[in-house]
């Protein structure tokens, strides 16, 4: 695995710390995943971009895996402009029941950062969709890279997964980095009046497998960022 734009070999990760952390799920239940940090990130890797794995139960040889990119507005503040928070909650609840691995990557706003994401929101409020807004800011549609997720899975001893995701690019990148996606498991369609246009943009422009039509039409008020 090569680091983009450098040609240098990407480092292999190893487990640094694994510690039990009791958590309260959004449905009110409690679970106790092991939260795992990693050795081996490239020199100079920012401390605010360190990835984590939350391991629920005892995942089998082909674990359920959700690779989730950080979304402060959705994951923490409950923003309705995207479906990130509900996807995270759905995955954690499922893993609490069935076992699984949540990889939390610090790639806010499809990798463009929090402030740029909010700038894109402002442009979306004038009529641009989530992709058009990024382009108007001279930013890529999606700047995320999933090599660290693949390396973390390998450090945890897994090279085959059932990937909980609607995003074909996520599956493609993991495959390129040595992870066999045995099954692609879609998330639910977390449609609301504020993210309708956003979800449809993900389907129409990025090929996400979201059953928006089956969920029905709602009056769209705003958009979010691609998850």
């Amino acid at each position: 695995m090569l680091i983009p734009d450098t040609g240098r070999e990407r480092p292999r990760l190893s487990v640094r710390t694994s510690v039990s952390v009791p958590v309260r799920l959004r449905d009110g239940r409690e679970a106790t995943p092991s939260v795992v940090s990693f050795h081996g990130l490239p020199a100079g890797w920012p401390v605010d971009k360190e990835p984590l794995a939350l391991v629920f139960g005892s995942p089998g040889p082909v674990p359920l895996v959700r690779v989730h990119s950080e979304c402060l507005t959705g994951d923490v503040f409950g923003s309705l402009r995207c479906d990130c928070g509900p996807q995270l909650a759905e995955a954690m609840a499922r893993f609490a029941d069935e076992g699984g691995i949540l990889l939390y990557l610090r790639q806010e706003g499809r990798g463009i950062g929090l402030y740029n994401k909010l700038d894109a929101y402002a442009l979306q409020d004038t009529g641009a969709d989530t992709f058009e807004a990024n382009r108007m800011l001279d930013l890529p549609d999606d700047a995320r890279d999933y090599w660290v997720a693949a390396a973390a899975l390998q450090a945890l001893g897994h090279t085959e997964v059932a990937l909980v995701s609607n995003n074909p690019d996520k599956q493609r990148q993991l495959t390129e980095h040595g992870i066999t996606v045995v099954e692609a498991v879609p998330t639910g369609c977390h449609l609301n009046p504020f993210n309708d246009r956003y979800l449809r943009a993900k389907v129409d422009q990025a090929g996400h497998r979201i059953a928006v039509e089956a969920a029905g039409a709602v009056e769209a008020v705003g958009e979010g960022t691609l998850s």
Side-chain angles (χ1 to χ4, degrees):
M1 297 187 296
L2 299 180
I3 297 175
D5 304 322
T6 67
R8 291 186 287 111
E9 189 75 14
R10 287 176 171 149
R12 293 185 178 276
L13 301 187
S14 59
V15 172
R16 169 177 172 162
T17 305
S18 178
V19 59
S20 296
V21 177
V23 299
R24 189 178 303 279
L25 306 176
R26 291 196 184 179
D27 61 11
R29 292 182 297 145
E30 295 180 359
T32 307
S34 296
V35 179
V36 182
S37 60
F38 298 95
H39 280 302
L41 294 167
W45 190 277
V47 295
D48 62 346
K49 302 298 182 184
E50 294 167 337
L52 290 175
L54 277 68
V55 181
F56 292 79
S58 300
V62 184
L64 283 168
V65 170
R66 166 77 181 163
V67 179
H68 188 90
S69 294
E70 178 181 58
C71 175
L72 180 70
T73 51
D75 297 344
V76 177
F77 301 137
S79 170
L80 296 175
R81 294 183 68 133
C82 61
D83 56 346
C84 304
Q87 286 182 325
L88 178 62
E90 175 189 358
M92 292 180 67
R94 181 167 185 175
F95 296 168
D97 291 335
E98 304 177 33
I101 301 171
L102 171 69
L103 291 170
Y104 198 81
L105 306 187
R106 314 297 297 279
Q107 302 189 116
E108 180 74 51
R110 302 200 304 271
I112 65 173
L114 180 60
Y115 280 16
N116 283 330
K117 181 174 83 168
L118 295 178
D119 290 343
Y121 277 179
L123 291 171
Q124 290 165 24
D125 287 343
T126 68
D129 70 31
T130 183
F131 300 102
E132 292 168 341
N134 276 29
R135 295 166 196 158
M136 292 167 70
L137 294 168
D138 293 323
L139 297 169
D141 286 0
D142 193 335
R144 292 175 295 179
D145 189 315
Y146 297 104
W147 78 266
V148 74
L153 286 168
Q154 291 163 348
L156 293 170
H158 297 286
T159 57
E160 296 184 330
V161 303
L163 182 65
V164 181
S165 176
N166 307 316
N167 184 350
D169 184 58
K170 198 176 291 186
Q171 179 175 344
R172 177 188 62 80
Q173 288 199 41
L174 288 177
T175 300
E176 289 178 353
H177 298 317
I179 302 298
T180 300
V181 178
V182 175
E183 181 183 4
V185 182
T187 74
C189 177
H190 302 288
L191 183 69
N192 70 63
F194 299 91
N195 69 14
D196 180 90
R197 287 180 61 227
Y198 158 62
L199 294 184
R200 294 178 192 279
K202 289 204 293 185
V203 172
D204 295 340
Q205 298 194 48
H208 283 224
R209 299 177 288 265
I210 307 172
V212 177
E213 295 302 330
V218 298
E219 182 181 354
V221 180
E223 285 201 355
T225 55
L226 189 64
S227 60

